Structures are given as structure tokens and as C-alpha cells.
Amino acid sequence: MYCVETIHLNHRFSAQSKVLNDICLQVATGSIYGFLGPNGAGKTTTLRLLLGLIQKQQGEVLFFDQPFQQHRLAILAKIGSLIETPSLYGHLTAKENLQIMQRIYQCKKERIDYVLQSVGLPDTANKKVSQFSLGMKQRLSIAVALLHQPRLLILDEPTNGLDPNGIIEMRDLLKKLNEEEGISVIISSHLLAETEKLVTHVGIISKGNMVFQGKLKDLINKQYQSSRLVLSTNNNERANSLAQSLEMLGKVYNERITLPLPPPETIAALNRLLVENGIDVYEMSTVKKDLETIFIELINQ
């Protein structure tokens, strides 16, 4: 089951400016979905369309298998969000900010202390928000989003401007909310290296087009498929022929053999085979692309 699904979502800001092209998000219930792409790719526009902050032009938006337009209020009651910068009253305390939202959401007052505890701000309830660091403001904004016990959090670049420690704290908080409270999370970001430590699923958008969507392990498999085993021997043509006997199809180029990266046991078998046939192995190494490189290739294709 998907907590969020879009069907052929398209959007233009003008006749000449198409910012989203046939976006089909599929966010599994219970997942942490990393919505990734460079700045200007269409991430924020997509999230604003999901929440009805921009009028939808073409396509369908479903939450929990229900169309958003027909069930808007009921769906929004199940969603907490943080889009772009936190919207907080700096002259009020953390608790006063939450009291305002508690009256709007009409939820129990006891939720205020609970969400402050949940986001790691239990000792700052009476501190003016203007005195908060950016990381504390982000946490308080998530506390606001949690007040009405949502089933889904939608967060747009929640680690923007945070120092490394703040990023780690935000990551730990979102994992905790997902694992302990069962809250699904959509988090947009342009930072794959950080997001891959948090998410279970990934969608990558570039220039308004979805270029990848799947489980994080599917993206890691793309990394594996692009990896290579490199050999250098005293007889590369003969060594390449022996590799083919193990169903490894390589190419000899520039005094090296390049092969698709096989499982470790196959590498060991190849090494034994070469030695048994009197081939001197000068080099045997793996060349792997990191996920950042895969990400860059996807958004530039």
C-alpha cells in the first residue's frame, strides 16, 4: 500500500516553462522516502502540489488510496509538514507556539509536552524561539507537525543550514519517529551522501523528470552493476580467455583486462584458475562508483 501516489503529475508555471513532467511517485506506507534532486529540479513544487499549496493542473494525487481533492480535510488531518523555512513566532516561547497550533488542531494539551520530548526539546519549552539555533527551530517545527498525531511527515530540505552535528541529530530523530511511532516520512534533499544513511526508498528527479525510483538497495545494485574488476597479468589475452571459461566476458585494453564485477567467490576462483595455468597476476582490483557518482550520472542523462 502507498501512503502517497501521484499519477502523471504535470505542472507549468508558464506556457514555455514546464517544471514537472509525468511525475509518478509511489511512497510505500511505513517507509522513509528520499526525494532527491539538484536545486531547481522540481522537488519543492512537487511537495507543494501534494499538499494543495499550489493548484494542481494535470494528474492525480492520492493519499492512503484516497484522491486528495475529494478528501482534502480528512487527508490533511493525517499529514504533518515542513515546507521550506520554519514558520514560527520568534517573540513567543516554544510552548506558546505549540499552544497556538494545539488550539487550531483541537488536539489534547498533553500532546505539547509529549512532542517537545519526542524532538529532544523538553528543557526549552519556556525559551523564546528567537533565541533558538536553526537546528532547534527545525526540531520545533517538526514538533508542530507532530501535534495532531499524523501518519505521514512531508519535509522539504529539513537539514538545510544545519551543522554536521545538527544533521546527525535530525537523522536520528526521523529514524526514531519512523521506527517507534510508525510514521511514514518523505524527505526532500539534494544531498545523497547524507540521505542514503536515513532512507529506505529513493526517488530521483532531474529537470522535472523522474529518473529513478525504487528501494535504496535497488540504487545500490546500480552501483554494483557499474563496478568492474581490473586485472593485469603477464599474458592478458590468455587470462581473458580463461576468465571466459567462468562466464566472465572481459575486454583487454591498455595492458589491463576489465571485467564486470563478479561475486567474491568467483574472483577467488578466477585467481586460482590463472595461477594453476601459469599466469602471473600483477594486479587484481575492483573499481566501484560511489552512489554520488551514480546520482550525478542519473540527473545528467
Side-chain angles (χ1 to χ4, degrees), residues 128-195:
K128 290 279 184 18
V129 170
S130 58
Q131 300 173 303
F132 277 23
S133 67
L134 178 57
M136 292 170 68
K137 288 178 181 176
Q138 297 284 63
R139 284 174 170 270
L140 180 56
S141 295
I142 292 177
V144 171
L146 292 171
L147 260 180
H148 59 300
Q149 296 180 274
R151 293 169 55 188
L152 169 68
L153 278 180
I154 299 178
L155 309 174
D156 186 21
E157 301 275 7
T159 59
N160 255 5
L162 299 186
D163 60 24
N165 190 57
I167 291 173
I168 292 171
E169 290 177 350
M170 181 62 68
R171 185 203 313 156
D172 291 343
L173 169 61
L174 295 178
K175 280 185 177 179
K176 175 186 173 184
L177 293 172
N178 176 255
E179 294 171 2
E180 296 183 8
E181 301 195 25
I183 298 174
S184 304
V185 181
I186 300 176
I187 176 171
S188 81
S189 179
H190 61 280
L191 303 173
L192 174 60
E194 175 55 37
T195 308

Side-chain angles (χ1 to χ4, degrees), residues 83-96:
I83 303 296
E84 297 176 325
T85 57
S87 298
L88 301 166
Y89 296 102
H91 65 288
L92 300 179
T93 66
K95 181 165 281 190
E96 287 168 341

Side-chain angles (χ1 to χ4, degrees), residues 4 9 38 102 112 168 220 250 269 301:
V4 180
L9 195 62
Q102 176 260 326
I112 292 175
I168 292 171
I220 293 172
Q301 67 184 7

Side-chain angles (χ1 to χ4, degrees), residues 18-58:
K18 190 171 187 179
V19 293
L20 295 179
N21 182 42
D22 204 32
I23 299 300
C24 296
L25 287 182
Q26 294 180 328
V27 182
T29 300
S31 68
I32 302 180
Y33 185 100
F35 190 37
L36 306 175
N39 291 328
K43 301 187 301 297
T44 299
T45 299
T46 302
L47 298 186
R48 292 173 70 86
L49 281 167
L50 290 182
L51 294 167
L53 301 175
I54 301 176
Q55 185 173 358
K56 181 171 63 67
Q57 296 171 348
Q58 184 180 355

Side-chain angles (χ1 to χ4, degrees), residues 215-227:
K215 295 180 179 180
L216 180 61
K217 67 179 183 181
D218 296 332
L219 189 61
I220 293 172
N221 283 339
K222 289 183 74 71
Q223 176 191 23
Y224 183 83
Q225 291 163 10
S226 67
S227 300

Side-chain angles (χ1 to χ4, degrees), residues 232-287:
S232 177
T233 73
N234 66 335
N235 189 339
N236 286 339
E237 294 294 342
R238 173 65 174 150
N240 192 37
S241 177
L242 290 169
Q244 290 180 16
S245 70
L246 296 177
E247 299 184 352
M248 300 170 65
L249 302 178
K251 294 181 180 179
V252 179
Y253 176 75
N254 199 23
E255 299 183 356
R256 281 177 170 77
I257 310 167
T258 302
L259 307 120
L261 184 64
E265 56 271 19
T266 305
I267 296 175
L270 175 61
N271 188 52
R272 286 194 301 271
L273 183 62
L274 294 176
V275 173
E276 289 168 359
N277 282 271
I279 304 291
D280 294 331
V281 180
Y282 303 144
E283 176 189 358
M284 182 176 283
S285 60
T286 58
V287 178

